[in-house]
Amino acid sequence: MKAFVNALVYVEGEGLKKTTVAFGERITEIGSNVGKAEEIALPENAIVLPGFIDEHIHGAGGSDAMDGTQAALKTIAETVAAEGTTTFLATTMTQSKENITRAMTAVKEYRAAAHEEGARLGGVHLEGPFIAAAHKGAQPLEYVAKPSVSVFDEYNEASGRAIRIVTLAPEEEGAEQLIAHLAASNIVPSIGHTGAKCADILRAMAAGAKNITHTYNAQSPLHHREIGTVGSALLYDGLNAELIADTIHVSVPAIQLLVKCKPNDKLTLITDAMRAKGLQDGVSELGGQTVIVKNGEARLEDGTLAGSVLRMNRAVGNLVEKAGVPLLQAVDYATINPARTLGIDGETGGIRVGKLADFAVLDDKFNVLYTIRDGRIVYRA
């Protein structure tokens, strides 16, 4: 049994309070009457938060989910643990059927091996290939495919039924059938890489769509005669909006607009990070395409943004320091909100007795001091 003793803790439903939290694999006690436990000493400026959940990340530490190996997934898990992340979804991209299937198989094998290192692999975010060619972003055009229930089912079986989110363009032929199929299977249909108009979004929502992939990016913009995907994300409370808060993919005023328009429980921070996260600037790769990483920006040779090198603790910090979002609201965007989207809020996403002992311990500059997953220290500064 371990414990944070008289620490500043974000307790679910209570806010910030000085208290003691005891835990094994799960949180056992919160309060002053905690029994004998090994104390984890913290500095005065430490704050104990729920572990972060990244529902959209392609890679880190030189590895990518599309590498299709357990070793690559292990590298990603260990790298993101250093930013306070305790759960992540291995995010794929538009690629050949063979390459996507290999990535799915690696996820199945990795999860079956019950790796204890780093962050928990919570499943898969299938980003593509069911997207719109005109809004492919950094996705390879030659592998864009029409939405297909049968092809999705093949991928899901290969993953050990680990797919949790699917990004797709709702205006494409076959999309409504796939959205309904996903919703019936408790998998999140997410609207992204799309030229959808408002009418397309409404049909998708009626079929079960409830998420917007990296809001603002690679989607139809807001226009006063057609609000498109961006306008729909801002308008409809039933849609949860992902946000890359690196201030590169989305400007600070655009971040503030999204925060102002969305209910507090309908915005989720993601990193959308690629393999260069955690490495020095230089040449990297995404889906077989050359990526140049310089000054915190990852771009294809033609200048197209190619994912990010954003750390989740910095995403939270950016919201607070640059966009003026209250601390606990920003933390919710990285913890309980993605947990609710994924249907795992009964297990993680908050600090409450009975939940998994997943913690991100930060200092007052948003640096990560400890990351604890299932009661085990998986990162220490």
Side-chain angles (χ1 to χ4, degrees):
M1 189 74 68
K2 298 182 180 71
F4 300 115
V5 177
N6 196 29
L8 187 61
V9 182
Y10 179 17
V11 179
E12 186 174 329
E14 299 182 45
L16 283 177
K17 60 186 295 187
K18 278 278 191 177
T19 190
T20 296
V21 180
F23 56 91
E25 179 182 356
R26 294 180 180 270
I27 299 166
T28 56
E29 297 285 345
I30 299 176
S32 58
N33 298 319
V34 170
K36 190 173 182 180
E38 174 191 348
E39 180 180 353
I40 299 176
L42 300 178
E44 279 298 314
N45 66 343
I47 179 172
V48 180
L49 304 171
F52 301 140
I53 299 169
D54 195 348
E55 70 177 36
H56 189 151
I57 172 172
H58 296 272
S63 292
D64 190 289
M66 291 302 297
D67 292 346
T69 67
Q70 287 195 59
L73 294 169
K74 181 174 180 287
T75 296
I76 297 167
E78 292 177 339
T79 303
V80 302
E83 58 200 63
T85 296
T86 52
T87 302
F88 72 102
L89 296 188
T91 304
T92 61
M93 68 180 301
T94 299
Q95 255 294 339
S96 68
K97 194 171 181 180
E98 177 186 14
N99 286 346
I100 294 174
T101 301
R102 183 168 65 246
M104 296 299 99
T105 302
V107 167
K108 179 180 180 179
E109 293 170 347
Y110 186 91
R111 283 161 58 87
H115 288 264
E116 296 185 349
E117 310 92 345
R120 177 188 305 110
L121 177 54
V124 173
H125 181 152
L126 192 76
E127 187 183 17
F130 310 127
I131 61 175
H135 296 269
K136 64 180 181 60
Q139 310 263 355
L141 177 62
E142 62 265 36
Y143 298 118
V144 171
K146 294 295 184 185
S148 167
V149 170
S150 62
V151 172
F152 164 77
D153 283 345
E154 289 181 45
Y155 291 149
N156 200 27
E157 286 300 321
S159 74
R161 295 186 172 271
I163 297 177
R164 301 289 177 258
I165 300 178
V166 177
T167 291
L168 75 168
E171 74 274 21
E172 296 295 316
E173 181 185 352
E176 284 187 51
Q177 292 90 333
L178 180 54
I179 290 169
H181 179 67
L182 295 171
S185 304
N186 292 317
I187 297 167
V188 178
S190 189
I191 298 166
H193 288 276
T194 174
K197 296 181 177 181
C198 181
D200 299 315
I201 302 291
L202 289 172
R203 283 192 294 270
M205 291 175 67
K210 61 179 182 178
N211 204 59
I212 300 287
T213 297
H214 46 50
T215 307
Y216 293 114
N217 295 108
Q219 56 196 233
S220 47
L222 170 65
H223 186 276
H224 57 282
R225 285 191 291 274
E226 171 49 62
I227 66 170
T229 303
V230 171
S232 299
L234 295 169
L235 179 61
Y236 297 119
D237 290 351
L239 292 170
N240 180 73
E242 291 183 354
L243 174 66
I244 310 170
D246 59 359
T247 72
I248 298 166
H249 282 77
V250 182
S251 70
V252 171
I255 290 172
Q256 292 170 324
L257 176 62
L258 189 64
V259 168
K260 186 174 184 177
C261 288
K262 297 306 293 182
N264 289 350
D265 63 348
K266 291 295 184 180
L267 196 155
T268 293
L269 290 177
I270 61 167
T271 65
D272 195 18
M274 44 83 72
R275 72 169 75 243
K277 175 160 70 167
L279 305 180
Q280 298 296 316
D281 283 2
V283 178
S284 188
E285 178 274 345
L286 181 69
Q289 304 164 108
T290 299
V291 177
I292 309 299
V293 181
K294 184 177 180 181
N295 299 326
E297 298 185 20
R299 295 181 181 271
L300 300 182
E301 291 176 295
D302 66 3
T304 301
L305 282 169
S308 82
V309 290
L310 178 66
R311 295 162 58 95
M312 187 62 85
N313 59 310
R314 184 32 47 199
V316 174
N318 285 343
L319 281 191
V320 176
E321 296 172 344
K322 298 180 181 181
V325 177
L327 172 62
L328 298 188
Q329 184 175 330
V331 170
D332 283 351
Y333 294 162
T335 56
I336 194 65
N337 286 5
R340 289 193 186 108
T341 296
L342 298 171
I344 57 174
D345 51 307
E347 289 286 287
T348 189
I351 297 175
R352 189 181 74 199
V353 172
K355 284 195 173 185
L356 292 168
D358 292 348
F359 306 105
V361 184
L362 274 57
D363 67 14
D364 56 358
K365 302 298 184 184
F366 297 94
N367 299 307
V368 179
L369 306 177
Y370 287 93
T371 304
I372 294 174
R373 168 203 154 195
D374 295 324
R376 297 186 305 277
I377 297 172
V378 292
Y379 172 78
R380 176 187 290 139

